[in-house]
Amino acid sequence: DSGVTQTPKHLITATGQRVTLRCSPRSGDLSVYWYQQSLDQGLQFLIQYYNGEERAKGNILERFSAQQFPDLHSELNLSSLELGDSALYFCASSDISAPYNEQFFGPGTRLTVL
Amino acid sequence: QKEVEQDPGPLSVPEGAIVSLNCTYSNSAFQYFMWYRQYSRKGPELLMYTYSSGNKEDGRFTAQVDKSSKYISLFIRDSQPSDSATYLCAMSASGGSYIPTFGRGTSLIVHP
């Protein structure tokens, strides 16, 4: 168990809808990352938050947004969903002081858009 | 061309075999090289990391980095069915936020 929790485990929704994925980092970790994993693209970095502030942005679509709250949990909001958004979404957390930045991953949320 | 290339497999080997997993990369700024293991329906977990070039050994696992060829490898000796998983290489540059770039992962199946 990595100590990172994600809810829900599975989400099935329809095109055009909006969903929110939730992540709680490991105790003491200030940095949270969101990734999308699909069969054809692999693990793609979306966005990083550090202590409530956006720190780095990757291949995140404009329809997607995230935030990190004062208690350090994070939410990833996906709107105007398309079939191609079906994927596994992982949250990871880290102690950013480690130079190689070991990331601890949650179990993921499997999103299916019908 | 992707920054990190990794053959997705699957790679199927008998128990006890030596397994070689590889990645190539194009960004010469990468200094930290990691291997993550991902079991089915789980998140990735860090297996090993190395800094710059050279070898690192941990039990049955050996990681090698050849920066001159932009090529990294993970060797698994005496492979076990419990090693069946997807192995993702990841690498990051020094400085900045160290966001790793991941390979697509290689699916490994070790059959008894």
Side-chain angles (χ1 to χ4, degrees):
Chain A
D1 185 357
S2 67
V4 178
T5 60
Q6 287 187 251
T7 56
K9 285 187 179 176
H10 302 280
L11 205 46
I12 302 174
T13 188
T15 54
Q17 295 299 304
R18 173 189 167 96
V19 296
T20 297
L21 313 183
R22 184 187 167 104
C23 166
S24 292
R26 281 190 329 157
S27 177
D29 285 352
L30 300 181
S31 199
V32 168
Y33 310 78
W34 285 99
Y35 290 87
Q36 179 192 61
Q37 187 176 42
S38 59
L39 280 174
D40 57 340
Q41 292 292 324
L43 199 61
Q44 298 287 310
F45 167 67
L46 297 178
I47 197 164
Q48 177 199 7
Y49 275 82
Y50 178 76
N51 203 20
E53 297 200 359
E54 183 184 303
R55 182 82 173 239
K57 240 177 179 176
N59 301 319
I60 188 165
L61 300 172
E62 283 193 14
R63 301 183 285 108
F64 296 1
S65 64
Q67 52 185 326
Q68 186 179 28
F69 295 86
D71 67 352
L72 301 178
H73 91 271
S74 178
E75 292 180 357
L76 178 67
N77 301 295
L78 314 176
S79 61
S80 303
L81 285 167
E82 302 175 359
L83 295 177
D85 297 327
S86 295
L88 270 168
Y89 290 84
F90 287 104
C91 167
S93 72
S94 74
D95 172 2
I96 202 167
S97 64
Y100 60 90
N101 196 18
E102 178 178 0
Q103 300 190 353
F104 295 86
F105 284 80
T109 294
R110 182 174 295 278
L111 174 66
T112 303
V113 182
L114 300 175
Chain B
Q1 184 194 5
K2 286 195 163 197
E3 267 193 308
V4 178
E5 298 278 0
Q6 185 176 12
D7 187 335
L11 178 62
S12 182
V13 301
E15 183 176 354
I18 296 175
V19 175
S20 171
L21 304 167
N22 312 293
C23 289
T24 59
Y25 63 95
S26 57
N27 188 345
S28 57
F30 288 145
Q31 294 278 1
Y32 296 94
F33 302 90
M34 293 150 280
W35 286 96
Y36 280 80
R37 178 175 60 194
Q38 184 177 16
Y39 288 114
S40 181
R41 303 182 191 282
K42 302 280 188 185
E45 57 178 345
L46 183 68
L47 194 59
M48 294 185 72
Y49 84 94
T50 52
Y51 173 71
S52 195
S53 282
N55 293 0
K56 186 172 185 177
E57 190 172 318
D58 183 2
R60 296 184 295 111
F61 299 88
T62 299
Q64 281 187 357
V65 174
D66 181 349
K67 290 191 71 179
S68 62
S69 302
K70 295 190 177 69
Y71 189 87
I72 72 170
S73 301
L74 177 71
F75 297 95
I76 307 175
R77 289 183 300 280
D78 187 25
S79 56
Q80 303 294 310
S82 58
D83 295 327
S84 298
T86 297
Y87 291 80
L88 299 97
C89 62
M91 37 201 90
S92 62
S94 58
S97 56
Y98 304 102
I99 304 291
T101 301
F102 284 84
R104 281 184 57 189
T106 299
S107 174
L108 172 66
I109 302 165
V110 181
H111 50 87

